[in-house]
Amino acid sequence: MSSTKASRKTLTALVENGLDPSGAEVVPTAGQRPTLKFGGKWPYSPAPESKEIVSVPSRQGHFIGGRFVEPRSGQYFATINPATEEVLGEVAVGSQEDVDQAVRAARSALPGWSGMPASDRAKYVFRIARILQERAREFAVLESLDGGKPIRESRDVDVPLAAAHFFYYAGWADKLPYAFPGRSVRPLGVAGQIIPWNFPLLMAAWKLAPALATGNTCVLKPAETTPLTALLLADVLVQAELPPGVVNIVTGAGETGAALVAHEGVDKIAFTGSTEVGKLIQRTARAKHLTLELGGKAANIVFEDASIDQAVEGIVNGIFFNQGHVCCAGSRLLVQESVFGTVMQKLEDRMQTLVVGDPLDKNTDIGAINSAAQLRKIEELVQSGLDDGCDLIQTRCGLPERGFWFRPSVFKGVAQTNRIAQEEIFGPVLAAMSFRTPEEAIEKANNTPYGLSAGVWTDKGSKTYKVLSKLKSGVVWANTFNKFDPSSPFGGYKESGYGREGGLQGLASYLEVS
């Protein structure tokens, strides 16, 4: 007998006798074949991505008029690595004067940029996309360092999608007459764009690409906890030889964003962030045109006829992707009563395999929480769930001693009125509930002030269409979750905001169409 056949025979005998190859017990679960429990004896070896590819300046100013400039106030603030709490560098605090300077630069560049032949504008946008691809590893490492997300997500999702958005809108730049046949279009002017900390590079691409393709100039304000990839993008703009002033980047906290929103020289505000801040922007914005992509509390609905294993993977991707720092995260799980126990058991088993740790390790599934403030918010809402009597299930993994971390968590025994079922936690925390009929599932899914996204899992096409047509959500996925494409519009209803990004609708958000 060959050694391979002998080893297979030995492995089979061990499993049948309740032991794994390391001598650990094989623990069967109800209705399932025995599963191997390796007892941590066969862990993944660390596979860290090198930090050497990216160099973070000790201090960076604003990017205005095609060059980096010092803040008028002379003030800077530190940006840290949430996985280690180490300071990565200092960035400028944007004041009213800095915002004024950026808006003037954008206004000055507007005639030349909007009057440029559309085919030439397309070349610049295309060039940005190509450079992003060429420097993809650099951006992926920096995104994980500054934001705490696993390098696999930065490398495989964020950077490729950011480049794809620039490619997509580069293609539309000289085809606007075909996008809006029989109608005249013109750019809105100067766009003020405020992006969140959960997808810094991707959100910058979502906003800059259509704005540039349609002939607008921009003032971009990245989130205060994740400004570094936006500032590295400024280097890409210089490398692409984008005319000075077409894109300006001003860093800072809420006061900087408020100055941009209230500026009379801004024609369009595009904001992605919390519903609370979105409402404030809606009340104070001076610009005529406004796009808001706000919070969410998405329902992920699993019917009894769904492919359960596929659905479990979709549930994990829906809530634990990017530590749950996703506006459209599937943070409410609705499972048909007849399969609730099976789904929850499989989900619990799958959760225990998730690796929490160093975001730069390619084995890591769950990285660091973005900031200490966000961690406190997650902990507060989880405590409210415990106070309401809900059952909390968490992974048993160890957590690093430094940094901001939270274990993947699922609540069972959740009522519709519990805070964890109504408020956006924005962390790796899932609220699970059951339902009996499709009508009950639809009613529960819509019982929220949000309306950004939802998911439906069933093998019946007719049921899919029936349910999704009644869900009050801007995006509904069928038998998948968190899938994005530049050609597909994204946005919400109710307190999840209004306006769309992506696709033709994303073009229209930056145009006067008549």
Side-chain angles (χ1 to χ4, degrees), residues 107 109-116 118 121 173 176 180 184-191 210-218 267-268 288-289 507-514:
R107 182 65 61 185
L110 181 61
W113 182 249
S114 62
M116 180 183 296
R121 281 203 308 272
L176 297 182
F180 306 95
S184 63
V185 296
R186 58 185 180 277
L188 297 178
V190 175
L212 296 179
T214 50
N216 298 272
T217 55
C218 306
D267 302 296
K268 160 70 183 268
K288 291 190 305 179
H289 303 275
L507 284 174
S509 295
Y510 287 94
L511 289 168
E512 287 273 13
V513 182
S514 58

Side-chain angles (χ1 to χ4, degrees), residues 27-316:
V27 182
T29 56
Q32 295 178 318
R33 298 180 63 184
T35 56
L36 293 177
K37 301 292 183 182
F38 296 119
K41 296 183 180 181
W42 288 358
Y44 288 112
S45 297
E49 175 65 87
S50 173
K51 296 185 287 188
E52 301 302 318
I53 192 171
V54 62
S55 176
V56 180
S58 59
R59 177 169 285 185
Q60 297 184 78
H62 306 300
F63 182 72
I64 300 176
R67 62 189 181 92
F68 284 95
V69 299
E70 294 183 3
R72 298 294 181 90
S73 65
Q75 296 182 339
Y76 294 82
F77 66 95
T79 182
I80 69 169
N81 180 344
T84 63
E85 300 181 61
E86 296 174 343
V87 174
L88 296 171
E90 292 186 335
V91 296
V93 176
S95 64
Q96 178 68 59
E97 291 77 14
D98 296 314
V99 172
D100 282 339
Q101 183 182 2
V103 173
R104 286 198 303 271
R107 182 65 61 185
S108 177
L110 181 61
W113 182 249
S114 62
M116 180 183 296
S119 58
D120 289 344
R121 281 203 308 272
K123 292 175 185 177
Y124 283 107
V125 180
F126 187 88
R127 196 178 299 167
I128 293 169
R130 287 298 303 271
I131 296 172
L132 274 176
Q133 286 186 321
E134 292 164 2
R135 302 176 64 175
R137 187 178 172 203
E138 185 181 0
F139 273 96
V141 170
L142 189 59
E143 192 84 324
S144 291
L145 280 174
D146 203 23
K149 66 176 59 184
I151 187 68
R152 289 191 297 112
E153 296 177 5
S154 300
R155 178 196 66 199
D156 299 341
V157 179
D158 293 36
V159 178
L161 264 180
H165 272 79
F166 281 106
F167 276 128
Y168 176 76
Y169 283 111
W172 272 118
D174 61 348
K175 302 176 185 66
L176 297 182
Y178 299 97
F180 306 95
R183 308 176 73 180
S184 63
V185 296
R186 58 185 180 277
L188 297 178
V190 175
Q193 302 171 319
I194 303 172
I195 58 176
W197 45 259
N198 56 338
F199 292 95
L201 179 65
L202 182 57
M203 292 299 100
W206 276 28
K207 288 173 172 51
L208 289 175
L212 296 179
T214 50
N216 298 272
T217 55
C218 306
V219 178
L220 180 73
K221 207 291 285 186
E224 62 269 27
T225 60
T226 54
L228 295 184
T229 45
L231 293 172
L232 185 60
L233 182 60
D235 189 53
V236 169
L237 302 180
V238 173
Q239 187 178 344
E241 300 180 351
L242 192 72
V246 172
V247 173
N248 307 274
I249 302 172
V250 180
T251 55
E255 294 79 6
T256 308
L260 182 60
V261 168
H263 203 288
E264 294 183 349
V266 174
D267 302 296
K268 160 70 183 268
I269 290 292
F271 171 78
T272 297
S274 71
T275 296
E276 180 183 4
V277 176
K279 290 179 179 179
L280 182 62
I281 289 175
Q282 189 176 27
R283 291 194 296 266
T284 59
R286 300 278 185 92
K288 291 190 305 179
H289 303 275
L290 189 62
T291 300
L292 300 174
E293 194 264 279
L294 308 177
K297 194 69 178 175
N300 215 352
I301 306 170
V302 181
F303 287 95
E304 61 186 359
D305 55 16
S307 172
I308 300 302
D309 290 333
Q310 179 186 359
V312 168
E313 288 303 308
I315 294 165
V316 169

Side-chain angles (χ1 to χ4, degrees), residues 296-340:
K297 194 69 178 175
N300 215 352
I301 306 170
V302 181
F303 287 95
E304 61 186 359
D305 55 16
S307 172
I308 300 302
D309 290 333
Q310 179 186 359
V312 168
E313 288 303 308
I315 294 165
V316 169
N317 181 52
I319 185 58
F320 300 131
F321 175 68
N322 194 26
Q323 298 77 255
H325 297 335
V326 186
C327 296
C328 57
S331 54
R332 291 184 300 145
L333 176 62
L334 303 178
V335 183
Q336 198 151 19
E337 195 173 86
S338 57
V339 294
F340 185 82

